[in-house]
Amino acid sequence: MVSVTQVLDWIIEPELLAWYKRVGFKKAEEISTAAKQVGSTVDYLIQADIKGTVLEASSVPYAVEVTNCLHAWQRFKEEHPAFLKSITDMQREVTDGEVVGHPDLEILEQGRCGIVDIKTSKAIQPKHWLQVAKYLDLAHPQALSATPFGYLIGILRLDKLTGLYEYREIRDPSVILEEVKVFEAYLLAYQHGQRIREVMRQQLEQEVLG
């Protein structure tokens, strides 16, 4: 199985690669690892909060960043009081063939059904929409052919520096379908890359044995 995020991470944007070169690959990896740890911790604490479990963020690594994200989450809840009641599942495994994903939140209420992913990045990135669109496709295969269309994809970004949040949704089926199609192109590139890696592995193996 290959995860949705693995597929999207296969192709590195030139700007990101330039940043890696500028700061050094070791430092860049440290920054990326720290960011992922903040995101994972925030996900865990938010899931606990939704389940009604009270956990303290002060004892976790990167406590300031995590606390800011939780403040942003609290603001979001206060301004969207019906949101918690609309959540039907969290981190459910969804699959199709070799592709697997774990959407953060699945929501359902009158006239509203879809996937919302939580991010702690500095901005909502284009790849984030590819990710959540594919999650919707995996979780609800019938969604993009449904008439009338009653699905959405959303991203809730919790800012780890300011404690503010940004929430955006896409409800247009043509836009969501286009995002899914772009993901499928990423998947083809990933599969092609894996075949190339296997060919190269065999060639190197033959050189060593030869």
Side-chain angles (χ1 to χ4, degrees):
M1 301 293 286
V2 57
S3 72
V4 171
T5 52
Q6 277 180 281
V7 171
L8 294 175
D9 288 343
W10 178 254
I11 299 177
I12 301 178
E13 293 82 353
E15 293 79 9
L16 183 57
L17 183 59
W19 175 74
Y20 266 78
K21 291 180 177 179
R22 186 169 63 253
V23 303
F25 284 91
K26 182 178 180 180
K27 181 63 175 177
E29 195 62 33
E30 290 175 355
I31 295 172
S32 297
T33 299
K36 290 177 182 177
Q37 187 168 2
V38 169
S40 297
T41 303
V42 170
D43 282 345
Y44 174 74
L45 292 173
I46 286 178
Q47 288 178 45
D49 179 58
I50 293 171
K51 293 175 183 177
T53 304
V54 179
L55 297 174
E56 293 294 332
S58 59
S59 61
V60 303
Y62 310 103
V64 173
E65 292 89 342
V66 171
T67 298
N68 285 339
C69 289
L70 294 182
H71 284 163
W73 167 246
Q74 188 63 35
R75 288 174 187 235
F76 174 76
K77 288 196 301 178
E78 291 171 358
E79 295 179 16
H80 299 79
F83 186 82
L84 287 186
K85 295 180 181 179
S86 73
I87 298 172
T88 60
D89 219 329
M90 298 183 290
Q91 288 286 327
R92 177 171 70 96
E93 183 172 290
V94 290
T95 63
D96 178 23
E98 67 169 325
V99 181
V100 61
H102 297 86
D104 286 336
L105 304 174
E106 295 183 56
I107 60 172
L108 173 64
E109 58 184 40
Q110 186 174 5
R112 175 183 171 93
C113 176
I115 302 294
V116 175
D117 233 40
I118 297 172
K119 302 296 180 186
T120 58
S121 53
K122 293 181 179 179
I124 296 176
Q125 302 296 335
K127 275 188 178 181
H128 293 162
W129 292 114
L130 300 180
Q131 179 185 2
V132 73
K134 186 58 183 177
Y135 284 163
L136 178 67
D137 187 44
L138 293 173
H140 302 281
Q142 78 286 358
L144 296 175
S145 59
T147 304
F149 185 76
Y151 294 86
L152 66 90
I153 56 176
I155 294 176
L156 172 59
R157 187 181 69 84
L158 308 174
D159 197 302
K160 55 192 170 187
L161 299 179
T162 66
L164 302 176
Y165 74 86
E166 175 185 9
Y167 181 65
R168 293 170 57 191
E169 289 182 356
I170 295 178
R171 293 173 173 265
D172 187 331
S174 63
V175 175
I176 298 175
L177 179 59
E178 186 63 26
E179 296 291 339
V180 172
K181 288 180 177 178
V182 174
F183 175 86
E184 296 302 324
Y186 271 79
L187 179 59
L188 285 175
Y190 173 85
Q191 293 168 335
H192 179 66
Q194 293 302 302
R195 290 194 293 270
I196 290 176
R197 289 184 66 181
E198 178 58 22
V199 169
M200 294 181 65
R201 186 195 65 78
Q202 293 177 4
Q203 290 175 343
L204 291 171
E205 190 177 78
Q206 289 175 359
E207 289 180 12
V208 172
L209 295 177

